[in-house]
């Protein structure tokens, strides 16, 4: 990239992040079921897992719907300084940036599950599942609009001197219509 605003497909962005987070969060729950000093019985552990999953799943869907609707209603073509990240490079872009945070999530989840017997990773599994559900709605919106919805690729850690900082905070969506 040459330094313009890096734009990625919104549907791909949501799906990639969720598909990376879901297995990590589920694996982090293993100690709650297999070993650990404070393991709950299976019924209680499954009940806690379902409660944690359902709470975050429903909360995210409810909270993000108006957020998405506002941004979808304000879409325009992307600015001329923007650079569209190729579809085949999107996964690599996200997976490289999320490696350390996902490893941290895994380690913290494993430690919490082992120490408390609670499948704490189910909170993030609910989040990932809600993201996958939202991606279906966003894909349907893309189809209805006849274009690709794109957003800024925001780095995991944004420095204070990043010239794109204000753009990252606005979290705008743009529409790119495919010319045939």
């Amino acid at each position: 990239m040459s330094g313009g605003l890096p734009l990625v497909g919104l549907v791909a962005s949501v799906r990639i992040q969720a598909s990376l987070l879901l297995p990590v969060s589920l694996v982090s729950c293993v100690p709650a079921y297999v070993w650990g000093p404070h393991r709950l019985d299976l019924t209680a552990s499954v009940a806690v897992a379902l409660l944690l999953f359902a709470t975050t799943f429903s909360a995210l869907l409810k909270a993000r719907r108006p957020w998405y609707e506002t941004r979808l209603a304000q879409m325009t073509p992307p600015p001329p300084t923007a650079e569209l990240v190729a579809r085949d490079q999107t996964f690599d872009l996200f997976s490289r940036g999320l490696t350390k945070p996902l490893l941290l999530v895994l380690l913290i989840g494993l430690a919490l599950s082992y120490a408390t017997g609670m499948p704490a990773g189910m909170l993030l599994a609910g989040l990932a599942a809600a993201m996958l559900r939202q991606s279906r709605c966003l894909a349907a919106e893309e189809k209805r609009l006849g274009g690709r919805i794109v957003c800024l690729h925001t780095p995991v850690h944004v420095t204070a001197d990043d010239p794109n900082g204000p753009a990252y905070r606005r979290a705008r969506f743009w529409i790119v219509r495919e010319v045939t």
Side-chain angles (χ1 to χ4, degrees):
M1 287 196 220
S2 66
L5 292 171
L7 301 181
V8 293
L10 179 62
V11 173
S13 171
V14 172
R15 286 181 178 166
I16 290 166
Q17 291 175 72
S19 66
L20 292 171
L21 180 58
L22 187 59
V24 167
S25 59
L26 292 175
V27 167
S28 74
C29 295
V30 169
Y33 297 101
V34 179
W35 69 89
H38 304 290
R39 221 171 35 147
L40 302 174
D41 67 63
L42 186 59
T43 305
S45 188
V46 168
V48 167
L50 287 173
L51 180 65
L52 293 172
F53 180 89
T55 301
T56 56
F57 180 83
S58 61
L60 181 69
L61 286 181
K62 185 178 179 181
R64 289 300 260 195
R65 182 177 309 248
W67 188 88
Y68 278 120
E69 288 171 353
T70 300
R71 279 150 183 80
L72 290 170
Q74 298 171 348
M75 282 193 306
T76 61
T81 58
E83 275 189 54
L84 197 57
V85 175
R87 291 178 196 247
D88 62 344
Q89 295 175 354
T90 304
F91 182 81
D92 188 48
L93 185 65
F94 276 97
S95 62
R96 274 187 280 123
L98 292 174
T99 301
K100 287 179 184 174
L102 288 172
L103 183 58
L104 188 60
V105 164
L106 178 63
L107 293 174
I108 291 170
L110 287 169
L112 282 172
S113 289
Y114 179 79
T116 66
M118 297 289 208
M122 291 307 285
L123 283 168
L124 295 176
L127 177 83
M131 290 171 69
L132 288 171
R133 173 71 177 104
Q134 287 173 335
S135 74
R136 290 183 61 207
C137 298
L138 294 169
E141 188 69 13
E142 274 188 344
K143 189 173 186 177
R144 186 185 72 75
L145 293 169
R148 184 174 171 207
I149 301 170
V150 295
C151 62
L152 276 174
H153 177 262
T154 307
V156 175
H157 177 64
V158 178
T159 60
D161 63 343
D162 191 324
N164 295 327
Y168 296 144
R169 285 186 285 285
R170 277 193 303 274
R172 291 215 34 198
F173 296 162
W174 294 276
I175 185 86
V176 176
R177 303 222 190 276
E178 310 237 338
V179 181
T180 56

